[in-house]
Every structure is written in C-alpha cells, then in structure tokens.
Amino acid sequence: GRAMIQNAMTIDVEDYFHVSVFDGIVPRSTWGDMESRVSRNTDRLLDIFDEYKVRSTFFILGWVAERYPQLVRTIAQRGHEIASHGYAHRLVYDQTPRTFREDVRRAKSVIEDAAGCVVGGYRAPSYSITPRSLWALDVLIQEGYWYDASLFPIRHDRYGIPVSPREPFYVEREAGALMEVPGSTVRVGPVNVPVAGGGYFRILPYQWTRWGIARLNPLEGRAAVFYLHPWEIDPDQPRLRAGWLGRFRHYRNLTETETRLKTLLTDFRFGTV
C-alpha cells in the first residue's frame, strides 16, 4: 500500500541567513553582503532528485529569484513545480495586509519572470499564517494564488492551528476559495504530532519520519507533505549567533540530512504538490 501512494516533496528555497531565527542578527539590509550558498545547495538537491527520479515543488523566495534567476530557470527546466515562498521572508503575522500584499505580489512577479511559467502555490515563511493572520488567505486569492501550504495543524511556540484539518481542504473566504495543503501530522490520542520534515526530520531519529509516513500512507490512505530547505544539507555553512534553542533547531544533525533524504526517497514515492 505504501508503494502506491505518491507523497509531496517540497523545498523552501532560501539561504541559511534568511531563516527567521536570525531575524535581528542578520538585518535584511546586509543580506547582499553575506556568503550565499543557496545555488550550490539547491543544485545538489536537484542532482539527488534526478538520481532518484523525483519531481518536487520548489517554494522559492523572491529575494533569491531576483538575484539568481538562472537557478529558478534551471529548477523549472529540470521538470519541477515552481511556487512562491514570498519575497523577503517576513513572518506574515508581523506584517499588515498592505505590506503582505506587496510582498507576495513582488515575489510572484520576479519568480514568474525567472521561471517563464505561472506561479499558483504559496508557502509562508515559518508557516506563519495563524489565527491572527488568516486575512492573508484573502490576499493570496486576490493576488492569483490558487493553493496555499502555510497552515500546520499543531501546537508550536511560533506557528500552528491545531484545530485545522490534517488533510488538504478548500478554504472559503470572502475573496473566494483556495486549496489548503497543510504540513503532515499523525494523530496520537488528542494531539497532532508533526512528521513533515524540516527540523523534525533532522533533530528526531529517521525512524520517526518513516513511522509517520508509513502510518499516513497505508493506514490512513493519505499522502504526506514533506518539506526541506537547501541549507539543511550543508553542514559547512557559516555559524551565526543565536540563542541556544535557535542554534539547536538550525544546526542539529546537518551532517545527517543528505543521507536521510536518500533513504527517504528509497522508502517512499514522491512527486510535486
């Protein structure tokens, strides 16, 4: 049963210094002065996906697309889906509707120009569409996005809507409707636990992810939505200052991620959203 279900492989294309934990440590005004590693890391992921014959959805940061349009074109030319991760990696709930609209409109424009195709999918930085920023869904609909992958049905200190459905669903808003594709969870008693990738994939043993997707696929008959960042396969990236929790979440097990990813691609089937 597991072999018959195709899961979604998604990549949030951002550089190591774009991560929200470094807000205030690396001001956006200095991003252009930082050593960039996003192209080489994304190229490595593309090679791995070619090796395992996997097509993925790449949620690309507009800032990256504007500076490295050839990278975006390469992703599209190698058969992957192109989607938006916003422009400046600002948390949605820290923006106003006006600034958010400007951000997602600019991102859509620069990514489409680079890729030569229409962008219809969006994922917020750090899953930051929460109960206090649901207005962002109206903006996405009005700006021409037709699906969103920003809701995570868990409890977390920075994001999450634990009462949100665990499977893809249509969201009806005043501006219209769009498909919501949430991060994957498994229900354990009264609690949703994340099995979707990212830090959970690096910090917890690989068996956790394998157990979660194996439970979703044959037992619940659902596809998993897995996510990763290019910097997560780069153990040689520069070390930046942050609090102990931020350092733990960002740097833990970077040396293990590429090997785990290859194991994951062997154990399960993956495609685009």
Side-chain angles (χ1 to χ4, degrees):
R2 187 169 69 223
M4 296 177 63
I5 292 181
Q6 180 167 282
N7 303 287
M9 174 60 64
T10 69
I11 304 297
D12 294 352
V13 182
E14 61 192 53
D15 226 323
Y16 65 97
F17 53 83
H18 292 138
V19 179
S20 297
V21 71
F22 299 129
D23 281 354
I25 296 171
V26 185
R28 285 172 176 79
S29 61
T30 67
W31 279 2
D33 301 324
M34 302 292 290
E35 176 194 352
S36 178
R37 302 173 71 89
V38 67
S39 291
R40 75 186 78 175
N41 292 332
T42 303
D43 285 342
R44 179 62 188 145
L45 285 174
L46 290 170
D47 290 342
I48 293 171
F49 291 152
D50 281 350
E51 179 183 353
Y52 288 86
K53 297 179 173 58
V54 167
R55 294 295 172 261
S56 174
T57 297
F58 284 75
F59 291 92
I60 301 170
L61 198 67
W63 190 93
V64 171
E66 198 167 64
R67 284 155 182 79
Y68 307 105
Q70 183 57 53
L71 175 64
V72 181
R73 284 192 290 273
T74 298
I75 296 169
Q77 290 166 357
R78 291 173 74 165
H80 301 279
E81 180 187 5
I82 303 296
S84 170
H85 197 36
Y87 181 83
H89 209 272
R90 297 185 187 276
L91 300 177
V92 177
Y93 48 69
D94 286 343
Q95 300 182 69
T96 66
R98 178 180 177 179
T99 58
F100 178 70
R101 184 183 301 278
E102 293 170 351
D103 183 278
V104 297
R105 180 179 292 177
R106 184 177 182 182
K108 195 172 192 295
S109 176
V110 298
I111 296 169
E112 288 180 342
D113 286 348
C117 63
V118 175
V119 168
Y122 173 81
R123 175 177 284 153
S126 301
Y127 290 98
S128 54
I129 296 182
T130 67
R132 57 182 170 141
S133 53
L134 288 175
W135 48 261
L137 298 175
D138 293 288
V139 175
L140 291 175
I141 294 167
Q142 292 164 352
E143 292 301 316
Y145 293 89
W146 61 77
Y147 79 84
D148 174 63
S150 305
L151 303 190
F152 215 146
I154 62 171
R155 295 188 185 278
H156 190 276
D157 60 329
R158 302 186 70 181
Y159 56 80
I161 305 179
V163 298
S164 181
R166 295 173 49 231
E167 66 282 342
F169 63 100
Y170 273 106
V171 178
E172 300 287 344
R173 301 287 298 179
E174 183 177 344
L178 84 169
M179 175 66 74
E180 183 61 47
V181 185
S184 288
T185 61
V186 167
R187 189 79 173 171
V188 178
V191 178
N192 297 333
V193 295
V195 293
Y200 309 108
F201 185 60
R202 284 185 295 105
I203 295 169
L204 300 175
Y206 172 72
Q207 289 75 10
W208 174 260
T209 300
R210 190 178 190 279
W211 167 81
I213 298 179
R215 178 164 169 175
L216 285 173
N217 284 182
L219 296 183
E220 299 189 20
R222 297 180 182 178
V225 180
F226 184 86
Y227 74 97
L228 204 67
H229 306 84
W231 56 262
E232 290 185 279
I233 63 165
D234 182 11
D236 298 322
Q237 65 188 265
R239 278 355 191 217
L240 301 176
R241 293 181 297 106
W244 72 267
L245 181 58
R247 293 196 307 272
F248 177 79
R249 286 175 171 174
H250 187 86
Y251 296 118
R252 179 69 173 172
N253 289 335
L254 290 176
T255 57
E256 308 293 327
T257 313
E258 182 172 325
T259 299
R260 290 184 181 185
L261 176 61
K262 292 179 178 179
T263 302
L264 183 75
L265 298 179
T266 300
D267 286 345
F268 302 95
R269 292 181 64 234
F270 286 93
T272 64
V273 172

